Amino acid sequence: MNSQVPSALTAFVRLANAHGAMERAFNQELQAAGRITVTDFEVLRRLADAPDGRMRRIDLAHAVGVTPSGITRLLDGLEASELVGRHHCTQDHRVTYAVITNAGRDVLRATAATHLAGLVALFAERFTQNELNQLVTLLGRLPGADSDLSCPAAAVEPVTVES
Amino acid sequence: MNSQVPSALTAFVRLANAHGAMERAFNQELQAAGRITVTDFEVLRRLADAPDGRMRRIDLAHAVGVTPSGITRLLDGLEASELVGRHHCTQDHRVTYAVITNAGRDVLRATAATHLAGLVALFAERFTQNELNQLVTLLGRLPGADSDLSCPAAAVEPVTVES
DNA sequence: GAGATATACTTGAGTACGCAAACAGGCTAG
DNA sequence: CTAGCCTGTTTGCGTACTCAAGTATATCTC
């Protein structure tokens, strides 16, 4: 194992371990607070921030970093708990929107308080604001980066949630 | 969503997305090269680097960031493909070691070349050596950090792999 | 306007974990 | 020496995805 390798490997391993540990911790926290997972939380957050509280499923999938089939199953659960609804696009019948419901916003509010506090505390304990910013920009260069698509193709038609 | 929060949240989201994207990419690469996953690779690598090519299962679990039950199932697979064997500790009958086999070392060699090259390339494309070091130290402060336990409680007794 | 191709989404089957509980062996205190 | 606790491991059961393949719908080309 030659001598150029180690830092790249270490970076990857640390990334993986940190992600695993944090995800596990936050999942428990969120499970306790509102019976949702970290990914569910991300979905609700994205929807709540999007215009009209809705997004195309595929954009949502991309935003939270799962595959199209992943978002289907994920939303299956959230639809079953009535935290999001679906809304068919009248212009393009291929696409359907995921729409956050009032119940969804309630759960988001209820969980956001403790979750975000925990998140902030975790980072505040270990980094100065400066270091945190550095971390964010460095992570942003990695593949799969947020791409923070500010929800294109939304805010087009009136919203009517079904089911 | 108040104004202190965003960088912590962004850090976490980027971490998650980067990890997901990289893991998926490397999994495909490794699957093609040697029918193993990223986690399998990590296990083989750790074992190969450990004295006598063996580690206590629980230390291994911690090192690669899975739970004890996770390591059991993970090693089930590697044992089935004869890439690792097991070795009972004669001093403490609770513990059993995972031992890398010759076949395991072969697979590791075969996959390491391309995998590590890919890893290095990925980082080299995006970061200077300096930035990479920064990233590594910042990530090292996150929970679940490597703790690089240099395999305590190993190198004690003669190794005899069974089945 | 008829294919061909691309996009959005769903479904079937499989996998890689996790948690909680069970169990076995070891350690300590009386 | 025995009762209680701690540690290492496995097992049952559940879940959150993945990939590959299938179905609609849209778009592009001639």
Side-chain angles (χ1 to χ4, degrees):
Chain A
M1 237 155 271
N2 93 50
S3 78
Q4 255 248 54
V5 171
S7 38
L9 223 187
T10 308
F12 180 59
V13 168
R14 292 199 170 170
L15 193 79
N17 289 359
H19 177 235
M22 292 171 70
E23 180 127 339
R24 239 165 306 172
F26 290 135
N27 261 337
Q28 292 207 271
E29 188 182 273
L30 284 170
Q31 206 60 237
R35 297 260 136 226
I36 59 171
T37 68
V38 169
T39 321
D40 294 335
F41 180 87
E42 252 312 279
V43 164
L44 293 179
R45 188 180 70 80
R46 299 273 184 172
L47 288 177
D49 280 359
D52 291 322
R54 77 192 209 274
M55 273 201 231
R56 303 186 345 154
R57 304 182 136 230
I58 197 163
D59 294 335
L60 196 50
H62 188 230
V64 304
V66 301
T67 58
S69 81
I71 208 67
T72 293
R73 302 188 203 274
L74 221 166
L75 289 175
D76 279 351
L78 293 174
E79 282 163 14
S81 353
E82 316 257 335
L83 304 184
V84 321
R86 60 169 57 207
H87 171 232
H88 296 288
C89 178
T90 56
Q91 270 108 351
D92 185 337
H93 291 281
R94 288 171 306 182
V95 347
T96 92
Y97 294 93
V99 195
I100 190 169
T101 63
N102 290 334
R105 289 192 194 267
D106 289 348
V107 168
L108 181 59
R109 246 189 307 275
T111 50
T114 74
H115 177 47
L116 296 182
L119 205 45
V120 168
L122 188 150
F123 282 98
E125 254 165 40
R126 299 159 215 259
F127 304 106
T128 67
Q129 184 61 48
N130 222 353
E131 290 169 331
L132 183 51
N133 292 339
Q134 248 171 6
L135 182 60
V136 165
T137 53
L138 291 176
L139 288 176
R141 290 199 221 149
L142 255 20
D146 208 336
S147 78
D148 246 333
L149 39 114
S150 305
C151 319
V156 183
E157 350 152 22
V159 178
T160 34
V161 179
E162 77 183 34
S163 162
Chain B
M1 236 152 270
N2 93 51
S3 79
Q4 254 249 52
V5 171
S7 37
L9 222 186
T10 307
F12 181 58
V13 168
R14 291 197 172 170
L15 193 79
N17 289 358
H19 177 235
M22 291 170 71
E23 180 127 339
R24 241 166 312 186
F26 291 135
N27 262 337
Q28 292 207 275
E29 188 181 273
L30 285 171
Q31 205 62 236
R35 298 260 135 224
I36 59 172
T37 69
V38 169
T39 321
D40 294 335
F41 180 88
E42 253 311 281
V43 164
L44 293 178
R45 189 180 69 80
R46 299 274 184 172
L47 288 177
D49 280 357
D52 290 323
R54 77 191 210 272
M55 274 201 231
R56 302 186 345 155
R57 303 183 136 229
I58 198 168
D59 294 335
L60 195 50
H62 188 229
V64 304
V66 300
T67 59
S69 81
I71 208 70
T72 293
R73 302 186 204 276
L74 220 164
L75 290 175
D76 279 352
L78 294 173
E79 283 163 14
S81 351
E82 316 258 336
L83 304 184
V84 320
R86 59 170 56 208
H87 171 230
H88 296 287
C89 178
T90 56
Q91 270 108 351
D92 185 337
H93 292 276
R94 289 169 305 182
V95 346
T96 92
Y97 293 92
V99 195
I100 191 170
T101 63
N102 289 335
R105 288 193 194 268
D106 289 348
V107 168
L108 181 60
R109 245 190 308 275
T111 51
T114 74
H115 177 48
L116 295 182
L119 206 44
V120 167
L122 187 151
F123 282 98
E125 254 165 40
R126 301 158 214 260
F127 304 106
T128 67
Q129 185 62 47
N130 223 352
E131 290 169 331
L132 183 50
N133 292 339
Q134 249 173 1
L135 182 60
V136 166
T137 53
L138 290 177
L139 287 175
R141 291 200 221 148
L142 255 20
D146 208 332
S147 80
D148 248 335
L149 38 114
S150 305
C151 319
V156 183
E157 351 153 21
V159 178
T160 35
V161 179
E162 80 186 33
S163 165

